Amino acid sequence: MHDQLADCRAFDLADDLVRELCSIDLPVEDVRSVARQLTERGTRRNAVALGIVMLGVVGDERDRELLLLLGGLGELTLYAAVALANSQPDRDRTVFQLARRVDGWGRVHAVQRLTGSRDPEIKSWLLRTGFRNNVMTAYLAHIAATTGDLRSALLESAVDDELLDGAADILDTLIVGGPSADIRNYPDALPVLVRFCELLTVAAPTLPRIRSVRTITELLNDSPPELDWPSGKVAALASDYSALLARSDWSDMVRSGLAEPQWGEVGFNPTFAIHNARTFTGRLSRWPAGPAPRADRPTISPHPIGHLNTALELVLLAAFPAALADDVRVVAQALPPARYPVLSGGFNVLVEGEHLAIPYRLCTPMPAEDTSARLSATQTKILHCLYSRHSDGFVRQHHLNQIIDATDPWIVPFVIKLVGEYVVDIVIDIKQGLTDVVTVDTAQHEAYGRFAAANPDFLHLTSQRVASYWRCYYRNRYPHRYYPGRIVLNELQEAAAAYRVPAMTTPPASTRGIRNPPNQMRRT
């Protein structure tokens, strides 16, 4: 049985297995014994996962510790969370215990099964810490606001800083939106925004709070019609939030944050710079003006919201070497306007001794068709690099193919980052484009080998993501050693060896785990 189950895809079989076990009359203890054998002695992931599914049907309090132990493994958290919810008498408390042990998709799966909990400790944890994960806070922000009852929590006489910071991130995430419910699906949104503003008038400013206020102010000044909020109340609230942004101590905090090295909070959170630099741009004298027009190069007129593109420059400048600053500014002014041009959660790399902070995703529309004709060759490469981080996979693929043959050292991280993402068609293009990575004395070998040698942790994390996506989506399509991402990573390691790459360190546990989509397994 173990070997037969091991060859099945547990995710596809789980719900059918639950229905079948619930529909037939089998001795519960016999089934439980088989399930324990699979979970305790199984050596293959799918067999263990299906054993956990079986315990969700026939298990009881005796299986609690085993399920918690196995649920701590990212690839099994979904199955363990469902099994605990279905088999334990103290459902919420047990899943809560698991949720605190995991991060990433494991945290997402566990917290989703706490929806509707009335436990005071769970509600408090959701608002302060529970919604945070290393995938995307948008998956859990709405659950935190509703199940955690953010409105009532903020109305308490004493609101601690951890709750206030949690509220700031939750509201910012709900407004920006994402793959789950957002501000439009939050009935308490308006009264929560009113109370949040009241609390901030007497609280010390922090960068996350300022970021959130900027996002809220934009929403109130341009609220979508589906919100259907009283216009007079919205206008008054927008004025109150604008007053917060106008305070001198808030602008001082922004100046202080932007004066830090790019590895500080601004460098790690490009969304902060986008949201707040445009408010304080006129006061940031430390940032030099863009390049003067050159007679031998066509100029590109900035968009009507030039102040937004000026703010975007602060993020994009950190993604490229200082020597390209003038070219980056020209490209930044060529980008079409967008309300949220980049998403936070970028990555940091070392390129020829310079630390670069590259945005996770670019969310601007496609540039005009004649844009490249008005850019220099270097500026065109910069444009392609930026759009290789676009939120649309087809756009990423198109622009990757424009730079895959280039060997400029600053282009390399944009290419390698895509190896660790989930679109296999893009990974195949990279494999086919990097033909000389292992060929000594070629420009490609030197560019990619030197980068891989200088960034072992980045390469290791990319390797972990390649493995996770292969397990989740492509294990039935490719043997592991033949998966294109695995082949590219092996070649990068080989090229790096020529440049005396040091032994790679193990990443923190929070970076590990498989990213399975949510399941709907339930006991029938």
Side-chain angles (χ1 to χ4, degrees):
M1 176 185 285
H2 173 276
D3 292 344
Q4 289 178 323
L5 293 177
D7 291 334
C8 300
R9 182 173 161 85
F11 182 81
D12 295 335
L13 187 60
D15 288 332
D16 290 337
L17 178 58
V18 170
R19 282 190 289 269
E20 188 68 19
L21 288 175
C22 292
S23 65
I24 59 179
D25 186 16
L26 291 174
V28 171
E29 282 302 317
D30 290 350
V31 178
R32 179 176 174 274
S33 177
V34 172
R36 292 286 300 207
Q37 289 284 331
L38 289 171
T39 52
E40 291 180 300
R41 300 185 182 183
T43 58
R44 302 274 297 278
R45 171 185 175 274
N46 283 322
V48 175
L50 290 170
I52 295 173
V53 172
M54 294 169 67
L55 285 178
V57 178
V58 299
D60 54 34
E61 295 94 326
R62 294 171 292 174
D63 306 306
R64 176 189 179 113
E65 293 305 319
L66 176 61
L67 292 173
L68 286 172
L69 177 65
L70 294 175
L73 302 173
E75 297 180 6
L76 299 176
T77 306
L78 167 62
Y79 305 99
V82 175
L84 287 167
N86 288 341
S87 66
Q88 301 304 303
D90 52 347
R91 175 189 187 279
D92 288 353
R93 297 297 301 182
T94 310
V95 175
F96 176 42
Q97 188 175 349
L98 175 62
R100 288 180 296 179
R101 295 185 179 187
V102 294
D103 202 345
W105 280 109
R107 170 69 62 84
V108 173
H109 293 319
V111 170
Q112 285 175 338
R113 281 147 187 88
L114 292 174
T115 301
S117 175
R118 297 183 179 181
D119 186 297
E121 185 181 358
I122 294 175
K123 293 168 68 173
S124 174
W125 175 78
L126 285 174
L127 293 174
R128 291 167 172 80
T129 306
F131 69 94
R132 304 185 193 279
N133 61 84
N134 62 16
V135 180
M136 185 182 289
T137 56
Y139 280 109
L140 301 178
H142 188 266
I143 294 174
T146 53
T147 296
D149 195 359
L150 180 59
R151 181 180 183 180
S152 296
L154 292 180
L155 288 173
E156 294 288 338
S157 57
V159 175
D160 56 86
D161 283 339
E162 191 177 17
L163 174 57
L164 198 59
D165 289 337
D169 287 343
I170 290 170
L171 291 172
D172 183 80
T173 301
L174 289 176
I175 293 171
V176 173
S180 299
D182 55 33
I183 197 74
R184 294 168 297 181
N185 313 108
Y186 183 37
D188 290 336
L190 190 56
V192 165
L193 291 176
V194 172
R195 178 57 177 166
F196 186 58
C197 186
E198 294 172 352
L199 293 169
L200 289 180
T201 58
V202 295
T206 65
L207 296 183
R209 293 172 191 176
I210 296 173
R211 182 187 66 231
S212 178
V213 168
R214 181 62 215 183
T215 304
I216 293 169
T217 305
E218 287 184 340
L219 173 72
L220 295 172
N221 286 328
D222 185 23
S223 58
E226 57 264 37
L227 289 177
D228 194 26
W229 293 343
S231 57
K233 196 164 189 177
V234 169
L237 192 56
S239 176
D240 292 341
Y241 273 104
S242 296
L244 286 174
L245 292 175
R247 281 170 39 173
S248 60
D249 55 337
W250 284 50
S251 58
D252 289 343
M253 173 64 70
V254 174
R255 275 201 303 273
S256 174
L258 291 174
E260 295 174 356
Q262 62 186 15
W263 291 97
E265 192 163 357
V266 174
F268 278 122
N269 197 336
T271 301
F272 166 74
I274 291 296
H275 288 338
N276 297 286
R278 65 184 109 163
T279 304
F280 305 107
T281 297
R283 309 178 192 178
L284 301 176
S285 58
R286 66 180 292 270
W287 295 99
R294 288 173 43 176
D296 62 337
R297 182 180 300 167
T299 59
I300 295 179
S301 300
H303 293 285
I305 52 170
H307 62 293
L308 172 57
N309 277 4
T310 301
L312 181 58
E313 287 178 9
L314 307 182
V315 178
L316 302 189
L317 285 169
F320 296 92
L324 299 177
D326 286 354
D327 292 309
V328 172
R329 290 189 180 97
V330 172
V331 174
Q333 293 299 320
L335 298 179
R339 185 170 186 178
Y340 301 105
V342 297
L343 296 181
S344 61
F347 56 101
N348 302 292
V349 292
L350 188 67
V351 175
E352 296 189 313
E354 256 187 281
H355 292 292
L356 306 183
I358 299 175
Y360 173 64
R361 285 284 184 257
L362 182 76
C363 301
T364 62
M366 292 290 289
E369 292 184 2
D370 62 344
T371 298
S372 294
R374 295 180 286 148
L375 298 174
S376 70
T378 297
Q379 291 165 4
T380 299
K381 289 180 183 178
I382 291 172
L383 184 74
H384 290 314
C385 284
L386 292 174
Y387 277 91
S388 75
R389 303 305 314 141
H390 198 268
S391 54
D392 186 317
F394 292 106
V395 175
R396 292 198 298 276
Q397 185 175 21
H398 169 76
H399 289 275
L400 162 74
N401 286 321
Q402 310 309 309
I403 56 174
I404 190 65
D405 294 329
T407 55
D408 308 73
W410 47 272
I411 290 178
V412 173
F414 288 90
V415 176
I416 293 181
K417 177 64 175 175
L418 289 167
V419 178
E421 297 187 0
Y422 61 90
V423 182
V424 72
D425 296 324
I426 294 179
V427 181
I428 291 172
D429 286 351
I430 294 173
K431 177 180 176 294
Q432 293 174 345
L434 299 185
T435 55
D436 294 329
V437 166
V438 295
T439 305
V440 180
D441 295 330
T442 62
Q444 203 172 76
H445 179 273
E446 180 176 0
Y448 281 84
R450 288 190 181 280
F451 176 85
N455 295 271
D457 290 341
F458 174 72
L459 205 65
H460 189 104
L461 181 57
T462 301
S463 179
Q464 296 299 306
R465 287 173 173 160
V466 165
S468 290
Y469 285 124
W470 170 79
R471 291 191 199 102
C472 186
Y473 300 115
Y474 304 115
R475 63 187 303 148
N476 293 330
R477 181 171 170 183
Y478 299 96
H480 188 223
R481 65 182 180 276
Y482 295 130
Y483 178 60
R486 183 71 267 155
I487 294 173
V488 173
L489 263 296
N490 289 341
E491 292 179 346
L492 289 172
Q493 295 283 17
E494 182 179 340
Y499 298 93
R500 304 178 185 274
V501 62
M504 294 187 299
T505 58
T506 302
S510 62
T511 66
R512 303 175 190 154
I514 189 168
R515 298 184 173 191
N516 290 328
N519 198 353
Q520 300 300 321
M521 295 187 295
R522 292 286 188 274
R523 170 178 278 177
T524 58

